[in-house]
Amino acid sequence: MPAPLIHIDSSPSLPREADVVVIGGGVVGVFTAYYLARRGVSVALLEKGRVAAEQSSRNWGWCRQQNRDARELPMATKSLDLWEKVAQETGEDTGFRRCGLLYLSQDENELAGWAKWRDFARTVGVTTHVLSAEEATERGKATGRKWKGGVFSPTDGTADPSKAVPVAARGIMAAGGTVHQNCAARGLELSAGRVSGVVTEAGTIRTTTVVMAGGAWASSFCNQLGIRFPQAAVRQSILAVAPGANGLPDALHTARVSLTRRGNGGYALAISGRARVDPTPQQLRFSREFVPMFARRWRSLAPGAFEGWRQGHESLRKWAVDDVTPMERNRILDPKPDMRQIRLTYQRACELLPELQRVAISHAWAGYVDSTPDGVPAIGEVEGIPGFLLAAGFSGHGFGIGPGAGHMIADIITGSEPIVDPRPYRPERLKTAAWGKVAEF
Ligand SMILES: Cc1cc2nc3c(=O)[nH]c(=O)nc-3n(C[C@H](O)[C@H](O)[C@H](O)COP(=O)(O)OP(=O)(O)OC[C@H]3O[C@@H](n4cnc5c(N)ncnc54)[C@H](O)[C@@H]3O)c2cc1C
């Protein structure tokens, strides 16, 4: 039972040329093309499978500033405003609501960390409420437990992963851009060292600017061009229950289990950060760079299986642009969920919120979360290939900041004042070791 996702139609035909070609129809690629099209730039979005069918429909839907790393917080704040505007601009509902996010804890260290983040957030004008034991117990009354404390971030919210990105993709077409599903980009054409076209499975598009927003596939695509992009993906499993549970918070995080109300009135349930590390050739290649990241998160990670190898997204193989590529062999990265974890998640959720016992599991799925070594995305033009921009490695936080990232990329391309400072995201930073700089979240 894969993650629920609405279908959208593609544009009728592939253009022969475009000002900008965006590769990847996840939240990042879609919002990049959306903001370009709305400025009158001719833009074509290429998606090898269906818009949002990989990470961008498989996530919880949290759009948060709470506990963001300082490097990402400005983009998170701007993104919340942009999420609000998308509904007005498109006339369609993305499911976005500033419902606030609730964090509850029994752990003094965790509470101290949240208080420290609150102090930092204040310095940049972000409001979050650290909750006393009484306040936390009151806000968490659906659990029927006493809590030592918590946090409520009133200006954060959630959007609906089953429709938010497809809605924005329709917005691209409404603004004059084109969207091409089942159309993989196989490679680039270069003239005098700079981008002159994109070779797709359906023909070549002449262009001078390409954005690679291919999520977990970005590094293997870059590898074809001799670009070293250290990226690793871990497999997270998640489930949804049917509508029918009442009186629960819209979005709740606890160390044992988290829940999020979905657009249909059901809930997504997951264990935060818990993932399987499936060995792949690419992971072995970049293993040294990821030591700090995995060392920081080791308590939540467990060794996986050959699922990642089988999927082919982290292959080190070179492919030819006149032949079928791994992206066409695997239109949608749909890894097997870890069913032991799914059962554990459901059990913990029912213990925490007995109301959930009334509703059955409706869906269970997994997603590969692609990450950089320091947990901050790589966004910007790649050194050595003028006209080629990378936008990947969103490290488990990309859904919420997708609009801000897309806006910033559109700003860079059109030479406008960037909505946020792009420097923390520069891909070149990954050429130096990330030891000690892993994002706090
Ligand atoms: C279980 C889970 C929970 C999460 N929870 C949250 C959350 O609550 N909040 C949050 O902010 N983030 C969350 N995330 C992370 C978030 O989903 C990702 O960071 C974000 O969706 C990444 O978007 P993307 O556009 O970079 O990649 P993707 O959504 O993976 O999209 C990349 C797209 O590129 C396409 N593609 C790749 N190569 C090519 C090619 N050569 N040609 C054409 N198309 C190509 C792929 O088919 C894919 O559709 C979660 C992720 C998971 C898996």
Side-chain angles (χ1 to χ4, degrees):
M1 290 170 288
L5 177 63
I6 64 167
H7 286 259
I8 60 161
D9 292 333
S10 295
S11 302
S13 58
L14 199 70
R16 293 162 68 94
E17 57 185 6
D19 295 335
V20 182
V21 175
V22 179
I23 302 171
V27 67
V28 177
V30 164
F31 275 106
T32 300
Y34 176 83
Y35 289 114
L36 286 168
R38 290 179 61 81
R39 290 174 201 192
V41 175
S42 88
V43 58
L45 178 85
L46 305 175
E47 167 51 54
K48 67 179 170 58
R50 282 173 54 202
V51 160
E54 295 194 349
Q55 294 174 83
S56 295
S57 60
R58 291 164 189 262
N59 58 72
W60 303 5
W62 285 35
C63 304
R64 67 176 169 89
Q65 302 163 102
Q66 181 66 41
N67 296 340
R68 282 271 179 195
D69 187 85
R71 289 166 285 182
E72 275 186 12
L73 186 56
M75 188 178 277
T77 304
K78 293 285 184 194
S79 293
L80 285 159
D81 295 340
L82 295 174
W83 271 118
E84 242 158 14
K85 288 188 190 137
V86 177
Q88 298 154 18
E89 289 164 355
T90 59
E92 287 200 74
D93 180 23
T94 60
F96 176 74
R97 286 181 316 124
R98 288 199 194 246
C99 55
L101 307 175
L102 176 62
Y103 293 63
L104 297 173
S105 183
Q106 308 288 20
D107 177 355
E108 300 287 0
N109 284 335
E110 194 172 35
L111 292 169
W114 294 344
K116 193 171 151 207
W117 190 87
R118 183 264 324 265
D119 295 342
F120 149 69
R122 249 189 214 144
T123 65
V124 290
V126 174
T127 304
T128 192
H129 301 313
V130 170
L131 306 175
S132 66
E134 293 70 33
E135 289 165 335
T137 303
E138 170 57 23
R139 280 208 182 259
K141 60 177 181 282
T143 66
R145 298 180 187 191
K146 281 194 155 65
W147 293 91
K148 279 198 177 152
V151 177
F152 183 68
S153 57
T155 54
D156 288 343
T158 61
D160 184 351
S162 72
K163 65 179 179 188
V165 176
V167 160
R170 281 202 286 246
I172 299 169
M173 294 184 272
T178 59
V179 175
H180 310 278
Q181 297 173 104
N182 284 310
C183 185
R186 291 176 170 173
L188 299 187
E189 280 188 356
L190 304 180
S191 303
R194 66 161 300 137
V195 171
S196 59
V198 176
V199 182
T200 82
E201 62 180 296
T204 298
I205 307 175
R206 306 249 70 86
T207 187
T208 52
T209 308
V210 171
V211 180
M212 175 10 96
W217 299 80
S219 185
S220 63
F221 189 93
C222 287
N223 193 33
Q224 310 304 309
L225 303 162
I227 300 163
R228 189 176 194 283
F229 172 39
Q231 182 186 34
V234 296
R235 177 165 46 108
Q236 290 192 356
S237 297
I238 169 169
L239 68 108
V241 292
N246 299 314
L248 305 184
D250 287 323
L252 168 65
H253 165 92
T254 71
R256 281 174 63 76
V257 70
S258 297
L259 102 163
T260 314
R261 189 176 162 84
R262 290 182 66 88
N264 69 348
Y267 285 86
L269 309 176
I271 300 175
S272 182
R274 182 71 71 93
R276 294 251 170 214
V277 183
D278 296 326
T280 65
Q282 185 179 293
Q283 227 172 65
L284 297 175
R285 180 185 183 199
F286 297 129
S287 54
R288 204 182 59 81
E289 272 117 315
F290 279 89
V291 168
M293 164 72 78
F294 287 161
R296 189 171 183 130
R297 315 233 188 286
W298 68 271
R299 279 192 192 81
S300 304
L301 301 174
F306 286 101
E307 186 63 7
W309 212 293
R310 198 173 66 77
Q311 298 285 346
H313 60 297
E314 293 193 347
S315 161
L316 296 179
R317 277 188 33 227
K318 299 269 179 168
W319 58 70
V321 292
D322 57 358
D323 203 356
V324 174
T325 65
M327 286 96 61
E328 292 141 81
R329 287 194 207 98
N330 193 348
R331 296 275 172 196
I332 297 175
L333 193 52
D334 184 23
K336 286 199 187 87
D338 175 348
M339 290 313 291
R340 254 183 52 198
Q341 193 191 315
I342 294 291
R343 284 190 291 274
L344 178 68
T345 308
Y346 183 63
Q347 182 198 323
R348 286 185 179 184
C350 289
E351 281 165 17
L352 182 71
L353 297 155
E355 175 70 10
L356 286 170
Q357 289 167 15
R358 290 165 19 92
V359 286
I361 296 178
S362 59
H363 299 79
W365 65 89
Y368 276 114
V369 176
D370 75 299
S371 179
T372 60
D374 63 8
V376 174
I379 312 173
E381 194 170 45
V382 173
E383 267 180 8
I385 308 190
F388 183 60
L389 287 83
L390 181 60
F394 279 73
S395 307
H397 336 129
F399 183 74
I401 60 172
H407 198 294
M408 188 187 84
I409 298 161
D411 296 336
I412 294 170
I413 291 172
T414 56
S416 314
E417 177 70 25
I419 189 167
V420 292
D421 181 0
R423 284 173 298 184
Y425 307 105
R426 288 167 60 242
E428 303 84 76
R429 76 181 192 280
L430 300 173
K431 284 187 179 157
T432 54
W435 293 82
K437 285 189 275 174
V438 177
E440 309 249 3
F441 52 84

